[in-house]
Structures are given as structure tokens and as C-alpha cells.
Amino acid sequence: AQSVTQLGSHVSVSEGALVLLRCNYSSSVPPYLFWYVQYPNQGLQLLLKYTTGATLVKGINGFEAEFKKSETSFHLTKPSAHMSDAAEYFCAVRDDSNYQLIWGAGTKLIIKP
Amino acid sequence: EAGVAQSPRYKIIEKRQSVAFWCNPISGHATLYWYQQILGQGPKLLIQFQNNGVVDDSQLPKDRFSAERLKGVDSTLKIQPAKLEDSAVYLCASSLKGFETGELFFGEGSRLTVL
């Protein structure tokens, strides 16, 4: 069965610093991968997705993620953190048996001034 | 374009009481989902509708949870009777094509506290 692991329930970075949120998945075939963001008291919003093709995917608000098949990873990065990036970030993989999304437990990003 | 609408945003009830949540998806979105999100966990799919038919309700606790989507537009999720462990945020989402693209549009959620 496919699964998603997000390392670190909380990640704290200083404003202007690099943001790195880790996501590893288990899948026997190249998966569809997603990052969603949930701002406080709001619903989840698609940040970016990988389906096929280029392994470096750019999303909204300056975020990007790289699909690394050899490492079964899809880490999310942003070169310079902004206070408005404070939110919870969820990684998900599409289960190819039923097309449902399998979600990680989420990582709360805290931005220090 | 209006987003996914949910109500109420917050609800506090005693255990064994009942509660209902309402969702209106984005216009034209055939697929509607109800998720349960417990604090510290990722969303858990409860039920998926395609138009007004149920595609998957395998994780819906049918002894206490029910959901309907009359006329293939808005939807209601009901819990009766509620248990303490039902305290969670109930998220409604919709999509144009189902899970094929993985692009879901979520409402702001309905936060349920069961005392």
C-alpha cells in the first residue's frame, strides 16, 4: 500500500531563510505527488503537483518541489521565507488503485521574525 | 468564481446529540468529497460523490454518519449520535474531474467539538 511520510510535525525558520519541508512516499510505480497548504482557519489549497515530465515543479508563492525517484522524495523548498508563509503544509500521493489521495500528517511551518 | 461554501464554521455539541454540516461545491464540479481532519493528522476521506451517486463510502462510519447529495449539487453530512472522538474539522472539497488530476478545491471547514 502506498504511504506518505512528512518528517517533522513543526519546522521553524527565520524570515528570509531557506524553507525545506520533507516528504517521502512509498509507491511501486511513479506516482502523482502533491503539496497542499492550509493557512490558519482556511481550507486546503493546492500549492503544486507532479504528474509526469520535468521533475522540478514550480508552484504558487515562490515554492517549488523536486521529484527524486531514487530517493522516493518530493521535498518542498522556498529560497526565502516570508511571514505570510506560516501555515500547515500537506504532502499527498495519488493511489493508483482508486485514484484517491493519501495524505501525510502535515508539517506546520513557523516563521520567526 | 465562488469557492466551496461550508456551514456552520463552528459547532459545539454534547455527546449523543446530532449535528449536520452543509456544503455547496464550486459550480459545475461534479465530484464532491467529505473529509474528516483530526488535529495533527492529514485529512481522511469519508465519502466521495460523483454527481448524486456515491463513488466511495468505505471509510464512513455508517452506524452514525450519513451523507447525501440531492440533485447532484449541495451536500449534507450528518452525525447521529455524536461521540467524543468525532471532534474534528469536517472538510468539503469539490473537483471538476474527480481524483484523476488530484486537484481538489476545499472549503474552510466545519470545526466540531463534542463535549
Side-chain angles (χ1 to χ4, degrees):
Chain A
Q2 291 169 295
S3 64
V4 176
T5 303
Q6 291 185 241
L7 289 176
S9 60
H10 293 78
V11 169
S12 181
V13 302
S14 298
E15 191 174 18
L18 171 72
V19 174
L20 171 60
L21 304 183
R22 300 178 186 274
C23 173
N24 289 86
Y25 66 91
S26 67
S27 175
S28 57
V29 297
Y32 280 25
L33 295 158
F34 307 86
W35 276 99
Y36 277 80
V37 60
Q38 187 174 31
Y39 296 104
N41 297 314
Q42 295 187 27
L44 286 88
Q45 176 184 4
L46 181 65
L47 201 55
L48 50 80
K49 67 175 182 178
Y50 169 79
T51 55
T52 58
T55 57
L56 183 62
V57 180
K58 295 186 185 299
I60 61 173
N61 301 335
F63 284 91
E64 61 184 35
E66 186 171 11
F67 168 58
K68 292 187 175 181
K69 183 179 176 181
S70 61
E71 298 177 8
T72 61
S73 68
F74 191 56
H75 302 331
L76 182 70
T77 60
K78 182 174 180 178
S80 177
H82 192 271
M83 295 300 291
S84 60
D85 295 326
E88 189 154 20
Y89 293 78
F90 291 89
C91 182
V93 61
R94 191 187 75 170
D95 184 335
D96 284 337
S97 68
N98 58 18
Y99 291 146
Q100 291 180 9
L101 293 182
I102 300 168
W103 298 84
T107 298
K108 184 165 287 188
L109 178 63
I110 300 161
I111 311 296
K112 297 178 291 186
Chain B
E1 177 182 81
V4 176
Q6 289 189 247
S7 67
R9 288 294 311 278
Y10 305 93
K11 188 74 175 179
I12 300 174
I13 61 173
E14 303 268 338
K15 60 183 179 183
R16 291 187 290 274
Q17 288 186 323
S18 63
V19 62
F21 302 111
W22 173 82
C23 171
N24 192 30
I26 292 173
S27 177
H29 280 195
T31 310
L32 185 148
Y33 316 81
W34 283 103
Y35 282 91
Q36 180 191 59
Q37 187 180 21
I38 292 174
L39 189 65
Q41 299 180 19
K44 170 190 168 185
L45 180 67
L46 293 176
I47 189 167
Q48 177 188 350
F49 292 96
Q50 182 78 17
N51 295 309
N52 61 349
V54 176
V55 174
D56 187 341
D57 64 356
S58 58
Q59 298 192 86
L60 186 73
K62 298 180 186 64
D63 57 333
R64 298 184 299 105
F65 286 64
S66 64
E68 61 182 10
R69 190 184 184 196
L70 300 176
K71 301 180 181 178
V73 181
D74 56 349
S75 176
T76 302
L77 176 71
K78 296 179 181 178
I79 307 174
Q80 181 180 11
K83 292 186 175 181
L84 296 177
E85 60 260 35
D86 298 332
S87 294
V89 177
Y90 291 85
L91 298 168
C92 179
S94 69
S95 66
L96 196 55
K97 296 183 179 180
F99 274 124
E100 289 85 354
T101 64
E103 293 187 54
L104 276 58
F105 295 82
F106 285 83
E108 293 181 325
S110 294
R111 182 178 298 275
L112 173 65
T113 302
V114 182
L115 303 176

